[in-house]
Amino acid sequence: MNAWEFWKKGFDIWENATAKYLETVLRSPLVLGPAGAAMSAVMRSKAAVDKAQAEMLAAMGVPTRRDQERTLHALNQIQSRLIDLEERLADLQSSLDARQGEAAARGGDGPRAN
Amino acid sequence: MGAVDDPGARETRRWRNLIGLVSRPRPVVGATPADAVHHENKWRLLRYRARPEGLAYETPVVLVPSLINRHYVLDLQPGRSFVEFLVARGHDVFIVDWGTPGDEDRYLSFDAICEGYIGRALRVAAQHSRRNKAHLLGYCLGGTLAAIYTAAHPERVASLTGLAAPVAFHDGGMLTQWTNTPTFDLDALCSATGLVPWQVMQGAFQMLRPTLPLSKAAHLLDRAWDDEFLDGYLALETWGNDNVSFPGEAYRRYIDALYRGDDLVAGRFTLGGRRCRLEAITCPTLAVSFAHDNIVSQTSVAQLIEKIASPDKTLLTLSGGHVGAVVSRKASEGLWPRLAAWWAAHDHDAPAPAVTSPAPAVTSPAPAVTAPAPATLPKAARRRKPAR
């Protein structure tokens, strides 16, 4: 075993042991509780600042960032619904074509597509 | 240019490669030729171009990657691409590229993604089959989405494959423990960020094994003489650092209903107002877990097989980690051929030889039967207007 392989083996042992120890630490409620509280506090502060800014803009009659996001989201939803309708129309057209084909095969009048 | 036998030459190359690492050209990722056959909001459905000999199988395969990762992990680089492998075998392969969500997608719901987008992807792909069905494979969170969709809308799913897909979330894992910490205010996070930043999620994954970057660095030093390894390493790093943020509304539901409530396994999860019971899945189902996966536990994956009512279900446990087992050279000799054989065996509606996994955590052999392959591309039974 050369020096590098020896070092690598030692490193692997250290890495495994450290990872196990850190897992214990990161599962501890003593760490998770304060970490969660700190992150939540930062997020609540950011949400409060965003809300205050939005209220100020709304008071001036200016569309807020949220207004624009809602509008864009609504447009995306409309796009999806249009595609839904296209799919349904295509399904209807297919079944109509099939029925016309069957009727033609029987020699009778089938339903007509416009 | 992988193997270097002379120790002196190997050392020279190791240090030359390490010094030139920063300026080394980044490998091309996601290079298998594909066409976008559907666009909607930010996501699109890609269809890979068939091999010159044409398709060998009737039923298309739809790949659903995780929402927070780029799709090209399944098409990493030439020679290390699951997609390329499938295309070469004659499969008709589609993949969902989730794209990059915009700020307005903070309102995008879990149901819209799962029922709306996956449903659409499946329907578009199924048009290319006489069966009007497609095989659905979901990787990681994509697998969870695929399982939920199949439970609610089984009609067009020819078979379901969950690749390291978590189904049971109360599995004692660290992610479950973190998301269930009482001081973690999920609503505050979603309200403040809109799109939950990918850095937050990547940070959480890295904290699952904080020593991993050091371990990777040591492995890089060890193998730096191997150009092929270096290219693969850089390709994987490119993908690993190219993440996308998570739509806040969808994230809220994901964490609240799945990580906190474990609603899917409990049979309480709803999709579009319809209750999703895993027991409703009756199509052939394959669940793949990895022995050294530190993100998704084997227990969580195995629950899919435990819960579903399908008579044709297989649980496959392979060695390797969450990503490595899917993109490595080893995968091209183990995982990929097994998945391709599974789809080949389930290419027709006739019942395939059932391989039922009797219990979780038992490795079941993948069906080794390959269905006879039609030589040409099957004409679609009916073709709708091509998607934009």
Side-chain angles (χ1 to χ4, degrees):
Chain A
M1 188 186 287
N2 64 28
W4 170 254
E5 282 169 356
F6 185 74
W7 180 87
K8 185 81 179 12
K9 209 163 195 173
F11 173 83
D12 287 342
I13 293 168
W14 170 85
E15 194 266 337
N16 253 321
T18 311
K20 273 186 189 151
Y21 170 72
L22 288 175
E23 184 176 336
T24 316
V25 171
L26 290 168
R27 279 180 182 274
S28 166
L30 293 174
V31 173
L32 292 183
M39 188 168 120
S40 298
V42 171
M43 293 302 151
R44 281 190 207 113
S45 307
K46 185 178 181 303
V49 170
D50 287 350
K51 195 179 170 197
Q53 279 178 348
E55 280 172 0
M56 198 173 73
L57 287 171
M60 292 189 291
V62 178
T64 65
R65 187 189 173 100
R66 292 286 171 280
D67 292 333
Q68 294 174 47
E69 287 169 355
R70 274 191 210 100
T71 310
L72 276 173
H73 178 62
L75 285 172
N76 287 335
Q77 284 181 309
I78 291 168
Q79 182 202 26
S80 291
R81 289 188 182 191
L82 281 174
I83 299 172
D84 284 343
L85 285 173
E86 282 179 353
E87 267 193 66
R88 288 191 183 187
L89 277 174
D91 279 342
L92 285 171
Q93 186 65 53
S94 295
S95 47
L96 198 59
D97 289 348
R99 284 174 64 190
Q100 278 181 330
E102 283 168 17
R106 285 199 306 267
D109 286 337
R112 289 185 184 182
N114 291 320
Chain B
M1 168 157 130
V4 180
D5 292 331
D6 177 35
R10 183 179 285 198
E11 286 310 310
T12 310
R13 182 171 289 174
R14 184 200 311 276
W15 293 107
R16 195 189 64 201
N17 282 350
L18 283 171
I19 291 164
L21 196 60
V22 179
S23 57
R24 191 183 180 90
R26 290 296 180 260
V28 178
V29 289
T32 307
D35 302 300
V37 292
H38 180 79
H39 286 275
E40 189 174 344
N41 196 354
K42 315 297 181 303
W43 76 277
R44 58 192 186 141
L45 182 68
L46 303 178
R47 184 187 193 191
Y48 290 93
R49 289 182 199 155
R51 61 182 185 173
E53 309 93 284
L55 296 175
Y57 301 102
E58 186 183 329
T59 314
V61 177
V62 179
L63 308 176
V64 183
S66 178
L67 268 178
I68 55 169
N69 299 128
R70 297 291 184 189
H71 68 284
Y72 61 78
V73 66
L74 298 174
D75 181 25
L76 199 60
Q77 59 178 148
R80 286 185 68 184
S81 162
F82 178 44
V83 165
E84 184 189 50
F85 176 88
L86 290 176
V87 169
R89 290 257 178 140
H91 289 280
D92 190 6
V93 185
F94 292 75
I95 197 165
V96 175
D97 170 10
W98 293 115
T100 306
D103 287 344
E104 71 278 13
D105 291 316
R106 65 184 295 147
Y107 300 112
L108 193 59
S109 67
F110 193 92
D111 288 12
I113 293 168
C114 188
E115 190 169 38
Y117 296 170
I118 292 184
R120 183 101 62 216
L122 194 65
R123 289 193 295 274
V124 171
Q127 288 168 26
H128 298 273
S129 160
R130 269 195 298 262
R131 297 170 74 185
N132 203 19
K133 285 181 176 182
H135 298 297
L136 193 56
L137 174 141
Y139 179 29
C140 190
L141 171 58
T144 313
L145 291 166
I148 292 171
Y149 179 82
T150 307
H153 300 281
E155 308 85 39
R156 285 190 173 84
V157 184
S159 76
L160 170 68
T161 304
L163 194 56
V167 170
F169 290 81
H170 285 184
D171 60 345
M174 288 171 82
L175 290 173
T176 303
Q177 196 170 353
W178 293 344
T179 48
N180 281 281
T181 300
T183 51
F184 170 53
D185 189 341
L186 176 63
D187 288 334
L189 174 67
C190 296
S191 304
T193 56
L195 298 177
V196 179
W198 61 264
Q199 293 89 342
V200 169
M201 283 174 295
Q202 197 184 39
F205 290 131
Q206 282 180 350
M207 292 299 272
L208 291 172
R209 196 167 177 100
T211 50
L212 195 61
L214 279 176
S215 181
K216 273 160 65 175
H219 196 52
L220 175 65
L221 275 176
D222 192 29
R223 298 283 306 276
W225 52 269
D226 184 347
D227 286 312
E228 195 181 309
F229 165 82
L230 267 190
D231 284 340
Y233 177 88
L234 290 176
L236 210 50
E237 285 299 295
T238 303
W239 171 78
N241 293 307
D242 182 16
N243 296 311
V244 286
S245 299
F246 204 120
E249 198 52 49
Y251 184 79
R252 193 194 310 262
R253 178 103 198 279
Y254 171 51
I255 298 297
D256 198 40
L258 296 176
Y259 272 102
R260 289 182 170 174
D262 206 14
D263 287 355
L264 187 57
V265 165
R268 292 188 298 263
F269 196 86
T270 55
L271 185 69
R274 183 191 298 210
R275 183 166 285 200
C276 290
R277 298 178 65 84
L278 290 173
E279 292 84 351
I281 299 177
T282 54
C283 65
T285 302
L286 171 67
V288 184
S289 67
F290 301 115
H292 304 106
D293 191 336
N294 66 335
I295 295 175
V296 179
S297 70
Q298 293 177 54
T299 328
S300 180
V301 174
Q303 277 292 310
L304 178 66
I305 296 301
E306 281 245 312
K307 287 275 175 186
I308 62 173
S310 171
D312 180 2
K313 53 186 179 179
T314 304
L315 175 66
L316 191 61
T317 304
L318 300 172
S319 62
H322 189 72
V323 180
V326 179
V327 302
S328 64
R329 284 254 172 250
K330 210 172 150 193
S332 64
E333 292 153 10
L335 175 68
W336 302 350
R338 285 180 162 195
L339 291 176
W342 164 265
W343 288 319
H346 294 87
D347 193 39
H348 303 285
D349 276 322
V355 183
T356 307
S357 178
V362 172
T363 305
S364 308
V369 183
T370 305
T376 53
L377 168 69
K379 294 258 186 232
R382 58 197 173 96
R383 299 224 183 252
R384 292 184 186 132
K385 191 179 119 189
R388 289 149 299 153

